[in-house]
Amino acid sequence: MAIHCDTEILQRIDDHAQSDLGREVGGILVGTSDRDDLFVEAALPALAAVGQSAQVTFTHDVWDELLPTIDTQFPNSRIIGWYHTHPSFGIFLSEHDRFIHQNFFSDPTMVALVVDPIAGERGWFGWKADQLELLRKEPARKAEAPPASPTERSHRGGTALMVGTLIGVLGFGIGYLVGGG
């Protein structure tokens, strides 16, 4: 699958990634796709997300914040994936990241973008022959930050991530169905 994302959108993602180097931040990718091409039209920061040093949680507030924006500003588009940061952790999907993607972004055309703003790298992950794999790695704008402590470098997803994500996605699905989306 070819991923098409304008430099301006990537710069906004880098800006958001560097907005807080002490915790993970994330957002939603909006656009269109087919089996061969994915077109990212917007990256919407999840400003209401609860971020910690090694996890980010998309709560009901995130969906309440983003869904009206998607409906009004991108009526012909849909959620095509998500992004989040790994400040000084590197480019990979943790087991919890994989759980989230497999269970809530399971459409074969959906992607996950991981940004390490300290290392200055981005990685696009997606479905390849029913496996979640790194599709492309590329440079990102590099931030300057002191080295993270061993505790901060550990990327262990917690129960809060899984529960918050489940609540957020269930709330999104119910709101989407009830709202006639």
Side-chain angles (χ1 to χ4, degrees):
M1 170 185 301
I3 300 167
H4 308 277
C5 187
D6 290 341
T7 303
E8 183 179 312
I9 294 169
L10 292 172
Q11 288 174 346
R12 278 189 246 132
I13 292 170
D14 287 346
D15 289 345
H16 188 212
Q18 293 181 21
S19 68
D20 190 339
L21 300 174
R23 67 183 182 98
E24 287 192 12
V25 298
I28 300 299
L29 301 172
V30 177
T32 59
S33 63
D34 58 36
R35 65 176 21 201
D36 298 321
D37 293 287
L38 180 107
F39 298 92
V40 180
E41 295 173 14
L44 305 177
L47 300 177
V50 178
Q52 297 178 15
S53 64
Q55 68 184 22
V56 65
T57 304
F58 292 79
T59 63
H60 281 296
D61 292 337
V62 169
W63 300 111
D64 289 345
E65 170 190 9
L66 296 179
L67 290 177
T69 301
I70 294 168
D71 287 343
T72 58
Q73 294 183 19
F74 306 97
N76 298 319
S77 300
R78 65 181 181 88
I79 294 172
I80 56 170
W82 62 303
Y83 73 90
H84 70 287
T85 60
H86 284 178
S88 77
F89 305 152
I91 302 303
F92 67 98
L93 290 178
S94 70
E95 287 304 312
H96 287 286
D97 296 340
R98 288 179 177 279
F99 173 85
I100 290 166
H101 198 82
Q102 289 168 342
N103 288 279
F104 307 115
F105 298 93
S106 60
D107 181 291
T109 62
M110 290 187 162
V111 295
L113 175 62
V114 178
V115 179
D116 183 338
I118 306 294
E121 295 179 316
R122 282 186 219 101
W124 294 91
F125 293 83
W127 297 104
K128 205 176 206 182
D130 295 330
Q131 296 294 316
L132 193 52
E133 296 183 15
L134 179 65
L135 302 175
R136 182 172 86 204
K137 197 170 182 181
E138 60 193 35
R141 193 171 67 238
K142 190 172 183 175
E144 295 298 323
S149 72
T151 303
E152 290 171 333
R153 294 182 63 83
S154 168
H155 188 74
R156 289 174 272 128
T159 304
L161 172 66
M162 208 173 343
V163 170
T165 301
L166 287 170
I167 290 170
V169 169
L170 289 173
F172 163 72
I174 291 168
Y176 189 74
L177 292 172
V178 171

